[in-house]
Amino acid sequence: MPEKVLDLFDQMNIQPDQVVFNTLFSACARVANDRAKEIGRKLLHQMPKQFHNDIVLLNSAIDMLMKFGDVENAENFFQTMKKNIITYGAMMKGYVENNMNDKALDLFEQMPLNPNNVIHIIVFNACAQILNGRGEEIGRKLLHQIPKHFHNDNVLLTSAIDMLMKFGDVQSAEKLFRTIKKKML
C-alpha cells in the first residue's frame, strides 16, 4: 500500500533515517503520480549529505527517478556514486522501461562486473525489444556465456526464449525450452 506510506510520511514530524528514505523512495516509485514525484524529488533534495554514500539508498533513488521518467537525474546519481551490480541493474532496467534499449546495452557493455541472473534477464529483454543486429549479437553472445548455475533459473531461460522468438529463431527457442527441467504452470 504505497499510497498509505506516503500518507503516513505526511504525518511524520521527525527527520527520516536511511531506512525511511529507502521506504519512501520505493513507495514513490511504485505510485509514480504527481504527488509521489513531488515527495520523491523533495526528499532527494533534503537527504542529508552523509546518506549520499549509502549505495542501497542511492540505488533506490535511481529506481525511483527512472520510474518517474527522469533519466537525466538518474544518470547524474549513477555517475557520481560507487556502483555495484544492483546499481547497474537499476540503470539498465530504467533504460528499458523508458524505451532506451540502446543505452541499456551500452551500459551493459561498459559494466566492469560479471552479470548476475537479473542482469541477464534485463539484457535479454532489451535485446528482444531493440530487434536489430546489435541486439541480436549481444543477446546470442550472452546466451552462450550463461554460467551453468543459471541453467536452472526458469525466469532467465524464459526471458531468453522470448528473445529468441522475437529474433524469429524458433528452432533455438524450442531447443532451449526442452532444456528446462521443471516447467512452471
Side-chain angles (χ1 to χ4, degrees), residues 65-66 69-76 91 95 98 100 103:
L65 290 167
M66 285 298 211
D70 190 352
V71 175
E72 185 178 338
N73 279 319
E75 288 173 332
N76 290 339
M91 282 300 294
Y95 283 140
N98 284 284
M100 302 171 87
K103 282 193 159 210

Side-chain angles (χ1 to χ4, degrees), residues 27-181:
C28 288
R30 289 182 60 198
V31 174
N33 62 15
D34 289 341
R35 175 185 179 216
K37 290 177 183 180
E38 182 182 329
I39 291 170
R41 288 189 175 108
K42 183 178 175 185
L43 285 167
L44 280 175
H45 292 294
Q46 293 175 348
M47 191 168 64
K49 285 285 184 207
Q50 69 264 26
F51 292 0
H52 285 248
N53 293 324
D54 184 330
I55 196 166
V56 173
L57 186 59
L58 295 180
N59 287 341
S60 185
I62 285 173
D63 178 62
M64 177 188 70
L65 290 167
M66 285 298 211
K67 292 273 190 333
F68 292 172
D70 190 352
V71 175
E72 185 178 338
N73 279 319
E75 288 173 332
N76 290 339
F77 268 98
F78 181 81
Q79 294 303 323
T80 62
M81 65 183 279
K82 182 178 177 184
K83 299 161 190 65
N84 63 14
I85 197 73
I86 296 168
T87 313
Y88 282 93
M91 282 300 294
M92 285 188 270
K93 183 175 181 267
Y95 283 140
V96 171
E97 289 172 343
N98 284 284
N99 201 27
M100 302 171 87
N101 297 296
D102 277 314
K103 282 193 159 210
L105 296 181
D106 290 344
L107 186 57
F108 170 69
E109 291 183 318
Q110 297 165 12
M111 186 176 72
L113 306 168
N114 289 326
N116 63 11
N117 58 336
V118 174
I119 298 294
H120 279 85
I121 292 166
I122 293 167
V123 173
F124 290 154
N125 288 337
C127 292
Q129 289 182 37
I130 202 166
L131 291 178
N132 64 22
R134 178 182 182 218
E136 192 166 341
E137 180 184 334
I138 291 170
R140 288 185 188 280
K141 181 179 176 185
L142 185 61
L143 181 58
H144 292 300
Q145 295 173 346
I146 291 177
K148 283 281 188 212
H149 62 278
F150 289 162
H151 287 247
N152 294 323
D153 185 331
N154 286 0
V155 176
L156 184 147
L157 296 176
T158 302
S159 180
I161 290 167
D162 176 65
M163 175 189 71
L164 290 168
M165 292 298 276
K166 288 190 175 142
F167 292 165
D169 188 352
V170 176
Q171 185 176 9
S172 295
E174 288 175 338
K175 182 179 175 184
L176 186 58
F177 177 79
R178 287 190 295 274
T179 69
I180 299 175
K181 293 176 180 58

